[in-house]
Amino acid sequence: MRTSHRTSHIHNFFLSRLAVAIGFAITLAGCTSYRYIPPDSDAGRQCVTSCGTNQQICIAGKEQIAASQAQACEMRNVSTVSLCLAVAKTDADRESCSKKRQYCSSSASTWQCDADYRACYTQCGGRIEESQ
């Protein structure tokens, strides 16, 4: 019994820290902020933990896709500029080659991961208070 109570206390501490961290990150990301109120039951809190794990997996996947897309964009830039320089006949032509570079963003759009987390959190019995 004592171990179960201690585990529950540690679990609650972890959940409250996780909720604060997620709330802080979301606040920084936009104008809407969220206050996460954990579920009352141990099962609900365990459920919320799996929501957080799924959110982190989602974010990691989105970041990996964004990094791959940025790398592919940079490779296209190298190829485009190299080809341009290979056929350039004048200094003006060579100067215009550098202007053919595209901007390559590596930022991941994780809004869907956050929305899915909020939906999961409430399905686990947690409450979310939203403020502007």
Side-chain angles (χ1 to χ4, degrees):
M1 262 328 244
R2 188 165 182 82
T3 303
S4 175
H5 177 68
R6 181 183 170 115
T7 303
S8 177
H9 180 68
I10 292 169
H11 195 281
N12 291 344
F13 176 78
F14 171 75
L15 284 177
S16 66
R17 293 292 182 176
L18 178 64
V20 168
I22 290 170
F24 182 71
I26 292 171
T27 298
L28 290 178
C31 297
T32 303
S33 64
Y34 301 93
R35 180 172 171 248
Y36 290 81
I37 302 157
D40 293 330
S41 71
D42 285 341
R45 288 187 292 274
Q46 288 175 349
C47 179
V48 165
T49 299
S50 70
C51 295
T53 300
N54 291 339
Q55 181 189 34
Q56 293 306 311
I57 291 168
C58 178
I59 289 170
K62 299 280 187 187
E63 288 173 346
Q64 185 176 15
I65 289 168
S68 294
Q69 290 172 339
Q71 183 179 19
C73 177
E74 290 295 345
M75 291 178 73
R76 282 191 305 275
N77 277 338
V78 168
S79 178
T80 299
V81 172
S82 296
L83 181 58
C84 181
L85 289 171
V87 298
K89 294 185 181 6
T90 67
D91 287 342
D93 289 344
R94 283 185 280 282
E95 189 176 320
S96 72
C97 289
S98 64
K99 296 177 182 171
K100 294 186 181 283
R101 290 187 55 84
Q102 293 180 341
Y103 172 73
C104 299
S105 172
S106 62
S107 65
S109 177
T110 59
W111 64 267
Q112 188 62 53
C113 301
D114 298 334
D116 291 348
Y117 174 80
R118 289 190 300 275
C120 183
Y121 193 94
T122 57
Q123 289 172 356
C124 292
R127 290 185 301 120
I128 302 172
E129 294 177 355
E130 186 177 326
S131 61
Q132 296 287 330

